Amino acid sequence: MFGLKPDIAIDVSCEYHSMDDYVNGVAKWCPGCGDHAVLTNVQKLCRDEQLDPKKTVFVSGIGCSSRFPHYMDTYGFHGLHGRAFPVACGIKFRRPDLDVFVVTGDGDCCSIGAGAWIHAVRYNIDMTVLLLNNEIYGLTKKQTSPTSRIGTISNTTPYGSLIPPINPVQTTMGVANVSFVAQTADWNPAHMYETIKAAHAHKGFSFVHILQRCPIFQPVLADKMISERDQFCLLQHENGITLDESASKIFNNKIDHDPFDIGEARNLAEDKKYNYLGLFYQNKNAVRYDEFGAQNLGFTVEQKKAALNVELDKFAV
Ligand code: SF4
Ligand code: MG
């Protein structure tokens, strides 16, 4: 036995998960689509955080980015249009032991799912939300979405869209009980990784708005995202997203922003001068609805009946 005593016990219960443990097949998004970068980043985070694939759930709605759960070798739920949030809230409410992610697009979240989105922010149930915003309906081949900017030419607005777009960061920060709002971009894997990592670490509804390239139906925007770097400004603060020197030096524009300051966070979200990347706002003390739901989850049927009778007896006459 090469010096090992035969009665020695080695704990092999701790299983290490490699990247392959989170990968399911080859993603069928178009070449150059920003979704690929988000997927790789999330799989890397799962590996680094050693998330148990059997205790991790990815929930989505409908759209290109909503194919995400198919490519994760975890549990997943590819839902209906705009209905990722109610499904994810239900999962986390009854199974607080699970790690829940929502992947949604601008059409899915900001159009048909807008009502569910607003209330999910307010309920502040612990989950990591990735909104991949390419400013177009990609899956159905180019219709104007709620986040398409004025002048967008598509199948539904052939002479250019007329109505100002929804700003998802601004909208989320306008909801009561908001607890975490950040913005990143698919072309910067280092920043995206740190942002999603911080979102995952936050206990509550972590909303990450990802500026996502669609080179097929938004080629001009996709090109500008790479070629016009001065449109971006990095948010820096000791309470924000930490980025090492080599990753942050590519940004020409940087400002200090304390993410505990919601007034300034809202000002930045409305500011059209830059696309700010980083943590806009965080409130670690916002009320979480899942903490109420987690109470008494271990009750037996008999215990539930007894507890119910105690409550009903209060109204007996
Ligand atoms: Fe990505 Fe656009 Fe292709 Fe959809 S249509 S997979 S968003 S590049
Ligand atoms: Mg879209």
Side-chain angles (χ1 to χ4, degrees):
M1 289 295 289
F2 307 104
L4 281 179
K5 289 183 182 173
D7 61 343
I8 210 163
I10 300 173
D11 182 8
V12 290
S13 60
C14 188
E15 186 186 351
Y16 178 80
H17 300 291
S18 68
M19 278 282 273
D20 284 349
D21 291 328
Y22 304 98
V23 175
N24 188 35
V26 177
K28 292 187 177 129
W29 292 306
C30 307
C33 175
D35 292 1
H36 292 287
V38 182
L39 178 67
T40 304
N41 237 291
V42 169
Q43 287 165 336
K44 185 167 174 281
L45 179 80
C46 289
R47 190 270 318 271
D48 293 350
E49 299 289 326
Q50 284 295 294
L51 303 190
D52 183 348
K54 297 186 183 71
K55 294 247 174 184
T56 306
V57 191
F58 281 78
V59 183
S60 68
I62 297 291
C64 289
S65 56
S66 286
R67 295 191 56 79
F68 209 96
H70 294 273
Y71 307 134
M72 295 296 303
D73 204 1
T74 61
Y75 281 93
F77 194 109
H78 188 173
L80 296 175
H81 303 78
R83 296 298 177 266
F85 291 120
V87 172
C89 288
I91 291 170
K92 189 65 181 179
F93 198 67
R94 290 290 87 186
R95 290 290 306 271
D97 56 315
L98 300 183
D99 217 320
V100 179
F101 290 78
V102 168
V103 182
T104 181
D106 44 305
D108 189 56
C109 175
C110 306
S111 184
I112 193 170
W117 165 35
I118 301 301
H119 291 287
V121 175
R122 177 175 157 255
Y123 274 60
N124 193 33
I125 289 178
D126 185 26
M127 63 184 70
T128 306
V129 178
L130 309 177
L131 167 53
L132 282 69
N133 182 4
N134 56 11
E135 303 187 23
I136 201 78
Y137 284 88
L139 189 72
T140 46
K141 306 200 184 308
K142 201 176 184 184
Q143 291 82 30
T144 296
S145 95
T147 63
S148 301
R149 55 194 74 185
I150 289 177
T152 299
I153 294 174
S154 77
N155 300 329
T156 46
T157 54
Y159 299 106
S161 66
L162 300 168
I163 304 174
I166 284 177
N167 174 338
V169 170
Q170 179 191 31
T171 304
T172 304
M173 284 196 298
V175 180
N177 208 36
V178 57
S179 76
F180 185 104
V181 182
Q183 181 162 269
T184 186
D186 68 17
W187 56 265
N188 191 319
H191 189 269
M192 179 166 47
Y193 179 84
E194 294 301 332
T195 305
I196 299 173
K197 183 178 171 188
H200 179 255
H202 174 76
K203 293 297 168 206
F205 186 93
S206 311
F207 182 82
V208 180
H209 183 231
I210 303 177
L211 305 172
Q212 182 238 316
R213 287 166 298 161
C214 172
I216 304 300
F217 298 121
Q218 287 282 32
V220 176
L221 284 185
D223 282 350
K224 280 186 177 173
M225 195 115 70
I226 301 297
S227 60
E228 296 182 9
R229 292 287 168 87
D230 277 352
Q231 67 180 291
F232 299 102
C233 180
L234 188 66
L235 299 178
Q236 307 183 120
H237 197 272
E238 59 186 356
N239 299 325
I241 310 289
T242 47
L243 207 56
D244 68 32
E245 183 67 27
S246 61
S248 65
K249 72 180 180 191
I250 67 161
F251 291 94
N252 295 329
N253 308 309
K254 301 171 196 170
I255 61 162
D256 287 335
H257 167 62
D258 183 349
F260 297 160
D261 182 348
I262 190 150
E264 188 54 24
R266 286 175 174 149
N267 289 339
L268 291 172
E270 288 181 24
D271 183 5
K272 294 189 169 46
K273 186 175 176 191
Y274 294 119
N275 277 318
Y276 294 96
L277 301 185
L279 182 55
F280 279 73
Y281 180 64
Q282 182 171 26
N283 178 3
K284 297 178 182 175
N285 300 315
V287 178
R288 279 174 49 197
Y289 193 62
D290 49 327
E291 290 189 323
F292 297 106
Q295 291 177 24
N296 307 329
L297 270 179
F299 270 28
T300 63
V301 172
E302 291 309 316
Q303 286 172 318
K304 284 179 187 169
K305 280 183 189 169
L308 189 61
N309 281 332
V310 168
E311 291 304 312
L312 291 175
D313 284 348
K314 292 177 184 172
F315 301 96
V317 288

